């Protein structure tokens, strides 16, 4: 599974980068997260691409992270499964994820963006 990275330039001019696990990265695409962001913002965040987001788009991404986290918190299941792609014979490639682990990583992702959005710099998403 492909991991993603998010980078921001902080106030002192240095770059900070967060690596998202393959599970979170794949789930964000499989769950329609990036499609929702694209629809709201008129952007084209796509898998295996690098895209830049202005602070106003980062704010929308944070709001969408909050929605995904809220949905996961409502689950009573300790694990969930999703389809991350398809094999050559069209067999679904399924991933099992621990709900609490994904919630924790969403929290880290959101907090990272929150720290970066206080600057006027854009964020770079390598998805």
């Amino acid at each position: 599974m492909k991991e993603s990275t998010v980078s921001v330039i902080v106030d002192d001019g240095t770059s900070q980068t967060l690596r998202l696990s393959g599970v979170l990265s794949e789930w964000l695409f499989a769950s329609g997260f990036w499609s929702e962001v694209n629809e709201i913002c008129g952007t084209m965040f796509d898998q295996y691409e690098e895209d830049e987001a202005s602070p106003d788009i980062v704010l929308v991404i944070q709001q969408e992270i909050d929605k995904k986290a809220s949905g996961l918190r409502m689950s009573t299941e300790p694990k969930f499964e999703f389809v991350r792609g398809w094999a050559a014979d069209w067999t679904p490639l399924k991933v099992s994820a621990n709900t609490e682990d994904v919630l924790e990583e969403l929290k880290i992702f959101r907090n990272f963006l929150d720290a970066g959005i206080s600057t006027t710099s854009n964020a770079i998403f390598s998805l």
Side-chain angles (χ1 to χ4, degrees):
M1 284 187 289
K2 184 182 181 314
E3 296 178 341
S4 296
T5 59
V6 182
S7 300
V8 294
I9 306 297
V10 293
D11 290 331
D12 66 1
T14 61
S15 176
Q16 301 283 328
T17 300
L18 174 68
R19 182 172 303 280
L20 305 179
S21 71
V23 169
L24 181 63
S25 181
E26 296 283 350
W27 178 72
L28 288 173
F29 278 102
S31 69
F33 174 85
W34 291 112
S35 294
E36 293 164 14
V37 170
N38 287 337
E39 186 175 322
I40 294 166
C41 297
T43 52
M44 289 295 297
F45 289 101
D46 200 7
Q47 202 163 18
Y48 310 112
E49 297 287 330
E50 185 172 283
D51 295 289
E52 191 168 343
S54 61
D56 58 322
I57 292 173
V58 171
L59 184 59
V60 171
I61 292 169
Q62 288 178 289
Q63 292 166 348
E64 293 302 307
I65 290 170
D66 291 343
K67 289 178 187 176
K68 289 296 183 191
S70 178
L72 282 178
R73 276 190 221 95
M74 291 174 31
S75 174
T76 59
E77 299 297 322
K79 291 187 178 250
F80 63 95
E81 190 173 83
F82 65 94
V83 175
R84 71 170 184 92
W86 304 91
D89 65 357
W90 295 104
T91 304
L93 302 173
K94 296 180 181 179
V95 176
S96 179
N98 181 306
T99 304
E100 287 300 319
D101 290 348
V102 172
L103 276 168
E104 181 61 25
E105 195 169 359
L106 281 172
K107 178 181 165 187
I108 291 167
F109 182 22
R110 193 201 188 292
N111 289 345
F112 178 82
L113 292 175
D114 195 41
I117 204 169
S118 65
T119 71
T120 56
S121 299
N122 293 347
I124 307 294
F125 293 82
S126 181
L127 307 172

